[in-house]
Amino acid sequence: MEREDFMREAIRISRENMERGGGPFGAVIVRDGRVIARSGNTVALENDPTAHAEINAIQQASDYLNDFDLSGCELYSSCEPCPMCLGAIYWARIDRVWYAADRDDAAEAGFDDSFIYREMQKPVEERSIPTRQKLREEALKTFYEWQEKEDKIQY
């Protein structure tokens, strides 16, 4: 398959997913020229705000490969990944991301993530969701223990 075919598959999934009652988003993860995961956005279907197409596909690919490191994989999305999905993509170490519609197209369709991008740029104290730090010293002890742990799995 060619890159356009993978993208068309992500778009096909987005349409099919929308017809089932989910959001109009689809994602495909490819490794070595083969699709290893595909999903639509199931936020409304599963009542899970994190069930975006990219997140679902990352979970499937991780299960398939039995690994949290998706190096060597490419992700094809029917739309530019939102901030949450982009974070997951970086954590998964996906090599490359391809997308069709962009964030402005999504906003025009009623999926506007621009406020999240703005919030992320603000100092913690100025964000619209009150966020305050507590018990830092107690939490740091766990990090110190992690640093000394001999049998940890680095990620």
Side-chain angles (χ1 to χ4, degrees), residues 61-90:
S62 295
D63 286 346
Y64 177 79
L65 296 173
N66 196 31
D67 199 341
F68 55 80
D69 185 341
L70 300 183
S71 297
C73 294
E74 293 186 346
L75 185 142
Y76 293 80
S77 180
S78 64
C79 187
E80 181 179 0
C82 75
M84 176 183 69
C85 293
L86 190 58
I89 288 163
Y90 276 97

Side-chain angles (χ1 to χ4, degrees), residues 4 7 19 34 40 59 65 76 78 80 84-85 93-94 97-98 105 112 114 117 123 129 132 135 139 147 151:
E4 288 79 10
M7 186 59 75
E19 291 168 357
R34 227 174 86 244
Q59 291 172 341
L65 296 173
Y76 293 80
S78 64
E80 181 179 0
M84 176 183 69
C85 293
R93 296 178 180 86
I94 290 172
V97 176
W98 301 88
D105 301 322
D112 190 357
S114 61
Y117 288 104
I129 296 176
R132 304 297 180 258
L135 302 177
Q147 289 171 323
D151 61 343

